[in-house]
């Protein structure tokens, strides 16, 4: 683990690389979702297989989440996009990277790719959408509901979650409650320049968009596919929003395929790719630590 | 009564590993600490220690610092579902560490 100071916030970063002294191939950066999510959703699902496949894997907790710092303010979407750019600078990652974003992590990925397409080799998003006006309405409504529930009815809400979704989910919800109560995230996150359809039409980076067939977001698939010049959409039957943690094998294969198709020229380790979960062991590669 | 000789990681028995991991758990829990909770082989990370998945990531970091790359937590849990990982007992992790250290020592 490394804690890296980014714009005054301590960011928790984990990096996995191919073991056995092999040079790392392309870099893939994994971005998690909002409130209850953290880099653990990747660490315990697809990340080891990505490293075993020869990729240099970077995961981090967004500001306010997981083991990263939780400032009182500074949660506009643009700040999350800034964090990604600053982190790539600090880690001195050469060449374009592959972005993988789950839910809100995908929204951040779209934001970064629109801002710096030169630094992005490909994008894979899972159950996600760009920061359009309709996204902003949805997220604002969701955060408002969570804040209300966790302020007015926290005990009842947590009891219900513990009974219906298990104790671990209830603990994640309690942490999410702290985030929405103690910080300005609910008021700030949608305060950003919204993405227009014209902007999406101009995004020439290859985008893989994966959705659960039973998720509300699934209707995004044809819309996104019609706008983005280079987009493949995949709908996974039998799943709702939690496709990443419920169908990690499927997500792993789809994303690895997409990255291989869109590898940087000369930057990859094509011959050594091994997409199996039981492939070569992934070894954690130490990352520069800089705690101010 | 068994006496444990501190002969380095490869000679460590499960009791010593359990003590190591218990200390790491206290570090991971930070301010909340372990309190009166006694950690044993049957203790479950999620239910008994109130670990979140991100806490297990932190624990994995401590394991690597202590034992080196022979003990690869990510590899240990690679075949498990996320729900099973957070339901792990401390004992299963102790046994895994012990196995890794023995095979590294035999190599």
């Amino acid at each position: 683990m490394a804690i890296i100071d980014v714009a005054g916030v301590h960011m928790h970063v984990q990096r996995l690389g191919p073991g056995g002294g092999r040079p790392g191939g392309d870099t893939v950066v994994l971005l998690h979702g909002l409130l209850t999510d953290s880099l653990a959703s990747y660490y315990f699902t697809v990340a080891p297989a990505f490293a075993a496949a020869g990729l240099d894997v970077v995961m981090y907790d967004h500001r306010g989440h997981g083991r990263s710092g939780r400032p009182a303010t500074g949660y506009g979407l643009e700040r999350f996009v800034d964090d990604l750019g600053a982190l790539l600078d600090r880690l001195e990652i050469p060449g374009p990277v592959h972005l993988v974003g789950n839910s809100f992590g995908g929204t951040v990925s779209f934001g970064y790719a629109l801002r710096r397409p030169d630094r992005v080799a490909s994008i894979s998003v899972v159950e996600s959408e760009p920061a359009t006006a309709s996204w902003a309405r949805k997220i604002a409504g969701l955060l408002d509901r969570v804040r209300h529930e966790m302020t007015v009815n926290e005990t009842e809400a947590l009891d219900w979650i513990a009974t219906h979704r298990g104790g671990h989910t209830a603990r994640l919800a309690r942490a999410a409650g702290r985030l929405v109560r103690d910080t300005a995230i609910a008021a700030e996150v949608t305060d950003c320049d919204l993405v227009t359809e014209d902007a999406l039409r101009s995004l020439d980076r290859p985008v893989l968009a994966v959705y659960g067939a039973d998720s509300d977001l699934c209707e995004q698939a044809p819309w996104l596919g019609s706008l983005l010049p280079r987009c493949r959409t995949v709908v996974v039957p039998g799943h709702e929003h939690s496709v990443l943690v419920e169908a990690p094998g499927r997500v792993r294969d789809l994303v690895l395929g997409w990255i291989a198709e869109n590898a940087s020229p000369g930057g990859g380790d094509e011959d050594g790719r091994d997409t199996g979960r039981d492939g070569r062991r992934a070894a954690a590669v130490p990352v520069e630590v800089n705690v101010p | 009564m068994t006496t444990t000789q501190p002969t380095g990681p490869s000679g460590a028995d499960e009791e010593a590993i359990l003590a190591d991991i218990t200390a790491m758990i206290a570090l991971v829990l930070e301010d909340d600490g372990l309190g009166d909770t006694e950690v044993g082989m049957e203790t479950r990370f999620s239910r008994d220690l109130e670990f979140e998945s991100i806490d297990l990531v932190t624990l994995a970091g401590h394991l690597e610092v202590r034992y080196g790359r022979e003990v690869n937590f990510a590899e240990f849990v690679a075949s498990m579902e996320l729900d099973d990982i957070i339901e792990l007992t401390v004992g299963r992790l102790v046994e895994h560490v012990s196995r890794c250290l023995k095979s590294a020592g035999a190599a």
Side-chain angles (χ1 to χ4, degrees):
Chain A
M1 152 176 151
I3 299 291
I4 296 181
D5 181 57
V6 172
V9 178
H10 293 181
M11 304 293 285
H12 170 211
V13 181
Q14 292 275 344
R15 200 163 180 180
L16 300 177
R22 291 187 301 150
D26 282 11
T27 297
V28 57
V29 185
L30 312 180
L31 297 100
H32 67 75
L34 203 60
L35 296 189
T36 55
D37 213 358
S38 74
L39 65 79
S41 297
Y42 289 112
Y43 190 94
F44 293 119
T45 57
V46 295
F50 287 179
L55 295 167
D56 166 32
V57 182
V58 175
M59 294 165 267
Y60 68 98
D61 285 329
H62 290 304
R63 51 176 59 219
H65 294 72
R67 293 260 165 176
S68 285
R70 199 172 66 206
T73 60
Y75 290 94
L77 175 66
E78 308 289 350
R79 299 297 289 271
F80 291 88
V81 177
D82 293 344
D83 288 342
L84 171 57
L87 202 61
L88 294 178
D89 288 342
R90 291 295 304 279
L91 296 175
E92 296 178 357
I93 290 167
V97 299
H98 302 272
L99 299 176
V100 177
N102 183 38
S103 193
F104 176 75
T107 308
V108 177
S109 303
F110 279 120
Y112 187 72
L114 285 165
R115 192 193 285 183
R116 291 298 305 270
D118 57 306
R119 291 183 86 176
V120 177
S122 77
I123 304 164
S124 300
V125 297
V126 181
E127 277 289 306
S128 183
E129 59 188 320
T132 59
S134 99
W135 167 84
R137 276 193 302 276
K138 236 181 300 181
I139 290 293
L142 170 78
L143 286 168
D144 207 45
R145 273 201 310 282
V146 173
R147 186 173 50 177
H148 178 78
E149 288 293 321
M150 298 307 278
T151 307
V152 180
N153 304 314
E154 184 181 16
T155 312
E156 293 85 0
L158 291 178
D159 284 350
W160 189 92
I161 295 169
T163 307
H164 294 86
R165 300 276 187 270
H168 182 247
T169 307
R171 273 195 294 288
L172 296 178
R174 191 173 61 197
R178 283 197 297 270
L179 180 61
V180 292
R181 273 197 315 268
D182 301 351
T183 76
I185 192 168
E188 290 181 343
V189 73
T190 56
D191 184 16
C192 60
D193 288 335
L194 297 174
V195 174
T196 62
E197 292 197 344
D198 279 346
L200 292 173
R201 284 190 193 98
S202 73
L203 180 61
D204 71 345
R205 301 290 76 205
V207 176
L208 169 73
V210 181
Y211 295 97
D214 303 328
S215 157
D216 295 344
L217 276 174
C218 192
E219 63 191 37
Q220 297 277 327
W223 171 79
L224 208 54
S226 74
L227 289 175
L228 292 167
R230 298 166 68 189
C231 179
R232 184 183 301 160
T233 59
V234 177
V235 173
V236 183
H239 290 281
E240 297 181 19
H241 192 54
S242 306
V243 180
L244 171 65
V245 294
E246 289 174 2
R250 183 90 173 102
V251 172
R252 171 200 67 206
D253 292 347
L254 286 168
V255 173
L256 280 176
W258 193 244
I259 289 174
E261 258 180 65
N262 296 288
S264 317
D269 179 22
E270 296 291 323
D271 296 340
R273 302 238 161 168
D274 173 357
T275 58
R277 234 184 162 182
D278 299 314
R280 294 176 195 84
R281 68 190 289 156
V285 173
V287 185
E288 172 206 6
V289 181
N290 189 342
V291 183
Chain B
M1 184 173 172
T2 338
T3 312
T4 307
Q5 294 298 327
T7 54
S10 60
D13 65 6
E14 290 191 355
E15 204 175 313
I17 295 168
L18 175 61
D20 274 353
I21 290 178
T22 302
M24 291 176 203
I25 289 167
L27 280 178
V28 171
L29 292 174
E30 291 180 337
D31 298 342
D32 296 336
L34 268 169
D36 296 332
T37 311
E38 204 163 301
V39 177
M41 297 292 270
E42 300 304 319
T43 305
R44 286 166 297 186
F45 284 104
S46 177
R47 223 166 277 192
D48 303 321
L49 299 173
E50 304 225 327
F51 258 49
E52 293 173 17
S53 41
I54 194 70
D55 296 324
L56 283 173
V57 175
T58 311
L59 180 68
H62 289 302
L63 285 169
E64 188 182 329
V65 170
R66 172 69 181 84
Y67 298 113
R69 298 208 180 142
E70 282 78 21
V71 176
N72 191 319
F73 191 78
E75 190 177 68
F76 172 50
V77 298
S79 58
M80 298 182 199
E81 301 292 326
L82 191 54
D83 282 348
D84 298 328
I85 296 167
I86 56 180
E87 287 303 323
L88 267 178
T89 60
V90 172
R92 278 195 67 189
L93 181 59
V94 168
E95 285 157 13
H96 168 72
V97 170
S98 172
R99 233 184 349 263
C100 290
L101 295 179
K102 272 179 193 144
S103 62

